[in-house]
Amino acid sequence: MPNAEQMYAEVIVPLALKGSFTYSVPAAMQQSLSVGSRVLVQFGRKKTYTAIVVQMHYHAPEGYEVKDILEVLDSDPIVRHPQLQFWQWIADYYLCTIGEVYKAAVPSGLKMESETFISVNPDWEETPDDHLSEREQVVLEYAVHRDRSQIDEISRATGYKNMLPLVSRLLERGAIHVSERVIDNYRPKTETYVTLNAEKDDEITLHSYFDSVARAKKQEALLLAFLDLSHWMQHGEPKEVTKAELLKRASVTQPVLKAAIDKGIFTLYKKEINRFANLNCGIDNAPVLTDEQQRAYNEIMASWRDHNITLLHGVTSSGKTSIYIHLIQEALNKGRQALYLVPEIALTTQLTQRLQKVFGDRLLIYHSKFSDNERVDIWKRLLTSTEPMVVIGVRSAVYLPFGNLGMVIVDEEHDPSYKQQDPAPRYNGRDAAIVIASMHGAKTLLGSATPSIETFYKARSGRFGLVSLLTRYEGLQLPEVKVIDTKQARRKKEMNGMFSSELVRECRHALNDKQQVILFQNRRGYAPMVECKQCAWVPKCQNCDVSLTYHKHIRTLSCHYCGYAITLPDICPACGQPTIEIVGYGTERVEDEIDKVFPDEKISRMDLDTTRNKNSYERIITEFSQHKADILVGTQMVTKGLDFDAVSVVGILNADTMISFPDFRSHERAFNMMEQVAGRAGRKHSQGLVIMQTSNPDHPVVGFVKQHDYFGFYEHEIAERRQFFYPPFCRIINIYLKHRDEAALIELSVHFSKMLREIFGSRILGPEAPMVARVQQLYIRQIALKMETEASMKKVKEYLRSVYENMIKADSRMKSCILYYDVDPV
């Protein structure tokens, strides 16, 4: 095309808006722009966003005025093939917009959004490499004299019209901080280095430097320290010297270095460094496989010749991780990259050291507890390299820009934590991993002791390969499971609160033998509710239809849906009596009560409340592994594939709450959770013991867990799924409508479901109120769509979109109604 012809770019913005948006490309930017590049665009009257270019063309849109791209932020794309294709698949399958996928996929450190205030970074030091322009110096000088300045205010004061690129460049240099802004959150990790202003063989200049510091002993010490650290007097190129190590070696302070710089002896420069460069812990060989593990490894490799996806069904403590390590090693030896997904950050914490010993600095870790800066560093390293490496991470790691992906391992593939709930995209990390692997031509291994019903059905029917590993490492027996009937135990007065006398007795035996105990209670907080004994008053959330959970350590009643909190009253506000009592048990109360039973033992707790900080998982797991704690109380976090050598007793305090949940997956979740937590017992040296407390010991799920009978459970569950047409025999899409007006919501949901039935017929169920029918002041109604598994999700999305648009035309109240979809709910 001739240069005179106007170029246009289709871009996506990180918003829940359908499709892409067209912007014109100024002539000066055309050579630097490519698909996948980040650009700054004005969206609306005042908002500015970082958009990603998805297409370039010369077709002028009709019917509206096209805005120019403001700035090209990258000389190279920040996404690579096939990421945009993968994002589109996520959007189509999970019924959301590609803008929502972009927002979730890219670290916020790579996204800029509309701004309001800037302030000067007091720690910033200007170096000769910074080369501030006159305009940048003016803006910085203006900001120095004010605590926080509005961008518009600076624009008016300086007369500069296009402030955004100026702000962006100052942000990149770290000279300013910005809040509610066009913000580049990302700050590369930099180190300040010192260099000598002389050529290596320039003896005359070096002597003149010594003459100039002859009377300044500290500066002389600094010069000598530099020559020593840099190997200046030796053959070869001198080593780079950081400011920190120079000051430490010379035992001098910053002003001494500044004085030497002022004399022209030294110059400072900054260098971007890899945050993860020091991960290398020394390279060990992969663990030696047992005969059974080697058989499974060989069968996986054979299975991959016929199937791209294989399921490894290995019982707890069978050594699946050792097999994973060998498979990863094989991929790296072939020059490929590997992705190792785990469901919880807790698992990445425990696995990291084990994997680092084998893979060293070829291992990268990626999860949400990392800062934006750390995640951007990993993103950039993968973006600029196709070198063999392995990434271990949680579900969001599927979005990383792999260049040479050869293998994906999804450990504990059954785990519901792989499913994103809010916000959109509500994707399943396991299924997304399978898709991204296929786009790269990579092989996928799914691993679990308790595979999901859908996965095992696909493996049994031949769609996936299937490899079994049904013996524990070194031939250890699976733990014995004792079932305690809590109703009968209470009649016999053998219950002390939540603890049966048998559980206490077995825990005491284990602790006396210097063994450890895990107690599992799948509810956090101190108690799920409080109640007045006199009038039955129960405090409820003012925003949601739930009772408030009591947290004793802060004496607060809080809502786990919206965060609303009040102080626990001493007097009942309804009847005025001091008769408020605590009802039920959460992990905090279990920790409190077990401390009274075993006052001399150290107790740790692992739940959402104790693991909010970045390093809290690692601290709790390390302390328990090192026997600094004897009893670990936890929620479903402790059911994951954690490996503790000395745990001999596991207590499941209340199996009923999991089994009795009104959902078609409740039995599967209960079986998986209890079998997984049981697997934490007796992993080394001796058979473990599991005490399961339940008021319904004859329930089929209890029997299957007691016998460790996954196959029996699967046959029982698949028969029910087939009878009632549930997954894997259909695909379920839950449609949620939310509105502040309950009466309007009921009318809208009924009307909407009728319109859906005109297309989908009897596949539509509802509307009905979910278990929690109001959250954050919004009333909720749910409609279920049961679709055949072979149906095109892209077509379904088009039909749902057309119904929604027709509904808006028919009833304007629909515009104020929040509508979203949850595909394959768990």
Side-chain angles (χ1 to χ4, degrees), residues 227-294:
L227 296 176
D228 182 33
L229 287 168
S230 65
H231 301 167
W232 190 268
M233 310 305 293
Q234 299 177 18
H235 291 294
E237 286 293 315
K239 288 179 61 178
E240 290 185 297
V241 178
T242 68
K243 183 175 81 171
E245 65 180 330
L246 178 60
L247 294 177
K248 183 178 180 181
R249 173 66 66 89
S251 300
V252 300
T253 58
Q254 171 79 28
V256 177
L257 176 59
K258 187 176 186 310
I261 292 170
D262 291 342
K263 288 181 179 179
I265 298 173
F266 295 115
T267 297
L268 297 181
Y269 65 97
K270 289 182 181 178
K271 183 177 177 182
E272 185 173 338
I273 62 171
N274 182 359
R275 294 169 195 275
F276 305 95
N278 297 321
L279 284 181
N280 197 334
C281 303
I283 307 297
D284 284 354
N285 292 324
V288 176
L289 297 180
T290 65
D291 290 344
E292 271 296 283
Q293 290 170 335
Q294 187 64 51

Side-chain angles (χ1 to χ4, degrees), residues 29 67 76 80 168 185 325 370 414 531 539 647 674 677 709 712 737-738 740 756 817:
M29 298 181 188
K67 296 175 183 175
D76 297 304
R80 69 196 312 170
S168 181
N185 283 307
I325 289 172
F370 278 7
H414 66 276
E531 183 180 41
V647 174
M674 290 190 285
V677 75
D709 184 7
L737 295 92
K738 295 183 177 182
R740 292 189 178 277
L756 289 172
C817 182

Side-chain angles (χ1 to χ4, degrees), residues 385-452:
S385 173
T386 57
E387 64 183 291
M389 62 182 79
V390 54
V391 175
I392 181 171
V394 292
R395 61 175 180 258
S396 58
V398 299
Y399 291 125
L400 286 168
F402 293 98
N404 190 17
L405 188 62
M407 177 190 302
V408 174
I409 293 171
V410 185
D411 196 17
E412 310 294 353
E413 66 81 26
H414 66 276
D415 199 290
S417 298
Y418 281 120
K419 184 72 161 71
Q420 164 76 9
Q421 300 299 334
D422 283 308
R426 295 171 180 84
Y427 68 103
N428 189 306
R430 174 200 62 206
D431 300 337
I434 290 172
V435 171
I436 193 63
S438 70
M439 289 181 175
H440 280 275
K443 302 295 185 182
T444 303
L445 181 69
L446 309 176
S448 177
T450 55
S452 70

Side-chain angles (χ1 to χ4, degrees), residues 708-721:
H708 302 290
D709 184 7
Y710 174 80
F711 297 104
F713 169 73
Y714 169 78
E715 294 297 345
H716 176 271
E717 188 71 9
I718 202 72
E720 283 197 352
R721 301 275 186 97

